């Protein structure tokens, strides 16, 4: 069986957690993602930027009551990347099962 | 959560955990249910008093009170948006179900009043009350809404046989069953969760 390469953008715990969260909601605020992933604000910002650069998520910055508000949303490209990542994971698991 | 290499099993476990976390997220303070439940209770009780032969005649149409509720709802929606940190697909479904319900009620009451069809509008209103309430209850896995919606349907059957001013009371009762009681239960759950989040108790 052929090895499918795991997407390096998604194969990192925090980035995968962010994508998995965004997959299940229409959109989420930065505070929501921070709370659910238990990540630090700094680390989360860096990982969100990487996902955004890859085109996997859309980030909108707004203001609410004079406070900055960051809203994240998964893109169609992010969704496809996630599906491919899961398929690749499945192929890895099948191979290790057959060995 | 550190950025380190991790196994396929870890990946799948993390995906499942995060999807579960997001899936279980919903923000429901019960305010909307209480607001509309009490509005209907007051409006339909006043309409009953007004329609009772020999009863007190009101100097205004009691249903005009709903305008105040619309303003209050707009205010609370804006206020609550600050506390809602994610929007789920179920929220969207919910929103469209209730918008459709609102439009249906509007068409039924306005067209019914213009065509002067009389009290027959009231059991139909109860039938409509039951639909979004039961759907919401099923989506949220919240039994009081399901029970409240079913009570509305039962009251609808009974109201079809009355076809008199007394059916206003059936609608008032339906509002209590469908929204006031579930609203109080939702509110108490919401406050408990808030306390848990704030104090970890």
């Amino acid at each position: 069986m052929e090895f499918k390469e795991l997407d390096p953008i998604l194969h990192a715990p925090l980035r995968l957690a962010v994508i998995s969260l965004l997959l299940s909601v229409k959109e989420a605020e930065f505070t929501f993602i921070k709370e659910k992933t238990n990540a630090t604000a700094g680390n989360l910002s860096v990982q969100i930027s990487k996902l955004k650069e890859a085109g996997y998520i859309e980030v909108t910055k707004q203001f609410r009551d004079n406070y900055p508000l960051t809203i994240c949303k998964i893109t169609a490209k992010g969704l496809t990347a996630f599906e491919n990542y899961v398929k690749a994971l499945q192929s890895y698991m099948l191979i290790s099962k057959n060995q | 959560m550190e950025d380190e290499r991790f196994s396929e099993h870890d990946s799948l476990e993390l995906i499942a955990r995060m999807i579960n976390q997001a899936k279980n997220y919903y923000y429901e303070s019960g305010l909307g249910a209480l607001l509309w439940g009490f509005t209907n209770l007051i409006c339909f009780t006043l309409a009953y008093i007004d329609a009772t032969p020999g009863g007190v005649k009101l100097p205004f149409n009691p249903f005009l009170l709903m305008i105040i509720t619309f303003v209050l709802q707009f205010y609370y929606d804006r206020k609550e948006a600050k506390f809602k940190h994610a929007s789920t697909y179920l929220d969207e479904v919910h929103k469209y179900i209730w918008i459709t319900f609102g439009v249906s009620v509007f068409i039924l009451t306005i067209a019914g009043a213009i065509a002067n069809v009389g009290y027959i509008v009231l059991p139909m209103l109860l039938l409509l009350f039951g639909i979004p309430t039961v759907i919401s209850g099923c989506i949220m896995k919240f039994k009081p809404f399901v029970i409240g919606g079913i009570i509305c349907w039962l009251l609808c059957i009974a109201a079809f046989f009355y076809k008199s001013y007394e059916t206003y009371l059936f609608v008032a009762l339906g509002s209590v069953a469908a929204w006031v009681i579930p609203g109080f239960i939702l509110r108490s759950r919401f406050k408990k969760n808030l306390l848990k989040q704030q104090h970890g108790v």
Side-chain angles (χ1 to χ4, degrees):
Chain A
M1 184 176 274
E2 196 189 327
F3 264 114
K4 283 181 181 169
E5 204 184 324
L6 288 172
D7 185 340
I9 299 282
L10 291 182
H11 198 58
L14 189 48
R15 289 197 292 271
L16 184 61
V18 172
I19 282 286
S20 306
L21 267 179
L22 292 179
L23 187 77
S24 325
V25 295
K26 198 182 149 231
E27 56 186 29
E29 289 176 15
F30 183 86
T31 45
F32 174 85
I33 303 170
K34 186 174 164 280
E35 186 200 312
K36 299 291 176 195
T37 56
N38 284 324
T40 60
N43 191 12
L44 185 59
S45 285
V46 173
Q47 305 312 328
I48 282 180
S49 298
K50 284 185 184 171
L51 287 168
K52 189 190 164 193
E53 278 165 25
Y56 291 177
I57 64 169
E58 206 180 285
V59 180
T60 320
K61 291 193 189 274
Q62 302 172 358
F63 277 93
R64 186 194 280 159
D65 295 338
N66 295 326
Y67 287 98
L69 179 72
T70 306
I71 297 170
C72 305
K73 191 178 177 179
I74 194 165
T75 60
K77 191 180 174 189
L79 204 63
T80 313
F82 181 81
E83 281 168 2
N84 291 336
Y85 179 78
V86 172
K87 274 181 200 158
L89 271 185
Q90 282 171 336
S91 69
Y92 270 82
M93 293 185 87
L94 265 178
I95 288 162
S96 43
K97 205 175 168 184
N98 293 335
Q99 275 174 352
Chain B
M1 212 171 283
E2 284 177 27
D3 201 359
E4 61 196 17
R5 289 203 67 78
F6 63 136
S7 73
E8 304 89 66
H9 281 100
D10 293 337
S11 297
L12 285 178
E13 202 190 273
L14 179 67
I15 292 168
R17 203 171 68 233
M18 286 299 131
I19 289 176
N20 241 353
Q21 290 239 29
K23 204 177 72 186
N24 293 330
Y25 176 81
Y26 77 91
Y27 181 94
E28 181 53 76
S29 67
L31 266 181
L34 283 173
L35 200 61
W36 283 103
F38 273 114
T39 302
N40 281 330
L41 173 65
I42 294 166
C43 290
F44 284 96
T45 308
L46 287 177
Y48 166 76
I49 293 168
D50 189 54
T52 307
V56 182
K57 291 288 160 214
L58 299 171
F60 62 95
N61 185 332
F63 296 104
L64 289 176
L65 289 174
M66 287 192 179
I67 297 169
I68 301 170
T69 309
F70 271 112
V71 176
L72 282 175
Q73 193 184 9
F74 181 73
Y75 168 75
Y76 284 121
D77 279 352
R78 279 183 67 95
K79 206 176 159 191
E80 290 203 320
K82 290 176 198 167
F83 304 104
K84 201 172 177 184
H85 301 301
S87 156
T88 65
Y89 294 105
L90 277 184
D91 290 335
E92 284 285 287
V93 174
H94 249 117
K95 189 175 86 186
Y96 292 121
I97 287 172
W98 286 98
I99 288 174
T100 312
F101 164 73
V103 173
S104 308
V105 167
F106 184 77
I107 292 170
L108 178 69
T109 48
I110 298 297
I114 294 168
N116 201 17
V117 291
Y119 294 114
I120 198 74
V121 165
L122 297 174
M124 288 161 95
L125 209 53
L126 277 165
L127 187 69
L128 284 183
F129 279 11
I131 299 168
T133 314
V134 169
I135 295 175
S136 279
C138 293
I139 290 175
M140 293 163 66
K141 295 187 179 71
F142 183 59
K143 272 188 190 158
F145 267 156
V146 178
I147 296 168
I150 292 170
I151 290 174
C152 281
W153 288 338
L154 294 175
L155 286 167
C156 156
I157 298 169
F160 267 119
F161 292 96
Y162 268 82
K163 282 181 273 179
S164 72
Y165 67 94
E166 285 148 324
T167 38
Y168 279 125
L169 282 185
F170 284 59
V171 185
L173 199 64
S175 307
V176 173
W179 302 315
V180 175
I181 297 169
F184 275 119
I185 298 169
L186 278 175
R187 192 83 193 136
S188 114
R189 275 191 193 180
F190 174 75
K191 283 186 175 171
K192 265 186 204 165
N193 282 339
L194 211 66
L195 268 179
K196 253 190 207 172
Q197 280 171 8
Q198 284 170 346
H199 307 289
V201 286

